[in-house]
mmCIF file of all heavy atoms in Angstrom:
data_model
loop_
_atom_site.group_PDB
_atom_site.id
_atom_site.type_symbol
_atom_site.label_atom_id
_atom_site.label_comp_id
_atom_site.label_asym_id
_atom_site.label_seq_id
_atom_site.Cartn_x
_atom_site.Cartn_y
_atom_site.Cartn_z
ATOM 1 N N GLU A 361 -0.605 20.614 24.922
ATOM 2 C CA GLU A 361 -0.537 20.310 26.367
ATOM 3 C C GLU A 361 0.787 19.582 26.662
ATOM 4 O O GLU A 361 1.500 19.911 27.610
ATOM 5 C CB GLU A 361 -1.751 19.443 26.713
ATOM 6 C CG GLU A 361 -1.964 19.143 28.168
ATOM 7 C CD GLU A 361 -2.100 20.399 29.027
ATOM 8 O OE1 GLU A 361 -2.477 21.491 28.515
ATOM 9 O OE2 GLU A 361 -1.787 20.281 30.209
ATOM 10 N N GLN A 362 1.127 18.611 25.814
ATOM 11 C CA GLN A 362 2.358 17.834 26.015
ATOM 12 C C GLN A 362 3.598 18.731 25.960
ATOM 13 O O GLN A 362 4.590 18.459 26.626
ATOM 14 C CB GLN A 362 2.441 16.744 24.938
ATOM 15 C CG GLN A 362 3.590 15.775 25.138
ATOM 16 C CD GLN A 362 3.360 14.471 24.376
ATOM 17 O OE1 GLN A 362 2.259 13.947 24.340
ATOM 18 N NE2 GLN A 362 4.405 13.943 23.750
ATOM 19 N N TRP A 363 3.516 19.802 25.196
ATOM 20 C CA TRP A 363 4.660 20.711 25.022
ATOM 21 C C TRP A 363 4.560 21.953 25.905
ATOM 22 O O TRP A 363 5.198 22.961 25.630
ATOM 23 C CB TRP A 363 4.751 21.135 23.561
ATOM 24 C CG TRP A 363 5.384 20.108 22.667
ATOM 25 C CD1 TRP A 363 5.919 18.912 23.034
ATOM 26 C CD2 TRP A 363 5.557 20.200 21.246
ATOM 27 N NE1 TRP A 363 6.415 18.252 21.936
ATOM 28 C CE2 TRP A 363 6.212 19.021 20.832
ATOM 29 C CE3 TRP A 363 5.227 21.155 20.291
ATOM 30 C CZ2 TRP A 363 6.538 18.775 19.490
ATOM 31 C CZ3 TRP A 363 5.559 20.914 18.963
ATOM 32 C CH2 TRP A 363 6.205 19.737 18.571
ATOM 33 N N ARG A 364 3.744 21.876 26.949
ATOM 34 C CA ARG A 364 3.522 23.043 27.817
ATOM 35 C C ARG A 364 4.840 23.633 28.327
ATOM 36 O O ARG A 364 5.025 24.830 28.405
ATOM 37 C CB ARG A 364 2.645 22.607 29.000
ATOM 38 C CG ARG A 364 1.713 23.650 29.509
ATOM 39 C CD ARG A 364 0.841 23.120 30.643
ATOM 40 N NE ARG A 364 1.574 22.237 31.528
ATOM 41 C CZ ARG A 364 1.280 20.945 31.732
ATOM 42 N NH1 ARG A 364 0.266 20.394 31.133
ATOM 43 N NH2 ARG A 364 2.010 20.195 32.553
ATOM 44 N N GLU A 365 5.783 22.734 28.669
ATOM 45 C CA GLU A 365 7.062 23.202 29.234
ATOM 46 C C GLU A 365 8.105 23.477 28.148
ATOM 47 O O GLU A 365 9.260 23.750 28.445
ATOM 48 C CB GLU A 365 7.644 22.143 30.192
ATOM 49 C CG GLU A 365 6.708 21.682 31.295
ATOM 50 C CD GLU A 365 6.461 22.781 32.302
ATOM 51 O OE1 GLU A 365 7.375 23.574 32.551
ATOM 52 O OE2 GLU A 365 5.324 22.858 32.814
ATOM 53 N N GLY A 366 7.725 23.324 26.907
ATOM 54 C CA GLY A 366 8.670 23.534 25.803
ATOM 55 C C GLY A 366 8.593 22.366 24.827
ATOM 56 O O GLY A 366 8.433 21.218 25.252
ATOM 57 N N ALA A 367 8.725 22.669 23.542
ATOM 58 C CA ALA A 367 8.590 21.638 22.511
ATOM 59 C C ALA A 367 9.807 20.719 22.505
ATOM 60 O O ALA A 367 10.931 21.161 22.756
ATOM 61 C CB ALA A 367 8.438 22.302 21.149
ATOM 62 N N GLU A 368 9.574 19.455 22.199
ATOM 63 C CA GLU A 368 10.682 18.504 22.053
ATOM 64 C C GLU A 368 10.240 17.375 21.132
ATOM 65 O O GLU A 368 9.058 17.024 21.081
ATOM 66 C CB GLU A 368 11.122 17.944 23.412
ATOM 67 C CG GLU A 368 10.010 17.264 24.182
ATOM 68 C CD GLU A 368 10.506 16.596 25.461
ATOM 69 O OE1 GLU A 368 11.604 16.913 25.929
ATOM 70 O OE2 GLU A 368 9.763 15.725 25.961
ATOM 71 N N ALA A 369 11.201 16.832 20.391
ATOM 72 C CA ALA A 369 10.899 15.731 19.478
ATOM 73 C C ALA A 369 12.183 14.957 19.213
ATOM 74 O O ALA A 369 13.272 15.551 19.147
ATOM 75 C CB ALA A 369 10.330 16.266 18.169
ATOM 76 N N TYR A 370 12.045 13.649 19.059
ATOM 77 C CA TYR A 370 13.200 12.808 18.749
ATOM 78 C C TYR A 370 13.754 13.222 17.375
ATOM 79 O O TYR A 370 13.013 13.256 16.391
ATOM 80 C CB TYR A 370 12.760 11.339 18.746
ATOM 81 C CG TYR A 370 13.786 10.388 18.188
ATOM 82 C CD1 TYR A 370 15.037 10.259 18.798
ATOM 83 C CD2 TYR A 370 13.501 9.616 17.068
ATOM 84 C CE1 TYR A 370 15.984 9.390 18.275
ATOM 85 C CE2 TYR A 370 14.439 8.740 16.550
ATOM 86 C CZ TYR A 370 15.679 8.644 17.160
ATOM 87 O OH TYR A 370 16.620 7.789 16.642
ATOM 88 N N LEU A 371 15.012 13.574 17.332
ATOM 89 C CA LEU A 371 15.680 14.086 16.122
ATOM 90 C C LEU A 371 15.027 15.372 15.615
ATOM 91 O O LEU A 371 15.263 15.801 14.491
ATOM 92 C CB LEU A 371 15.667 13.043 14.990
ATOM 93 C CG LEU A 371 16.362 11.702 15.246
ATOM 94 C CD1 LEU A 371 16.038 10.718 14.136
ATOM 95 C CD2 LEU A 371 17.866 11.878 15.370
ATOM 96 N N GLY A 372 14.136 15.952 16.445
ATOM 97 C CA GLY A 372 13.349 17.105 15.996
ATOM 98 C C GLY A 372 12.241 16.679 15.052
ATOM 99 O O GLY A 372 11.568 17.526 14.456
#
Side-chain angles (χ1 to χ4, degrees):
E361 187 57 24
Q362 187 160 319
W363 281 357
R364 213 178 39 242
E365 306 291 326
E368 57 174 17
Y370 169 61
L371 300 170

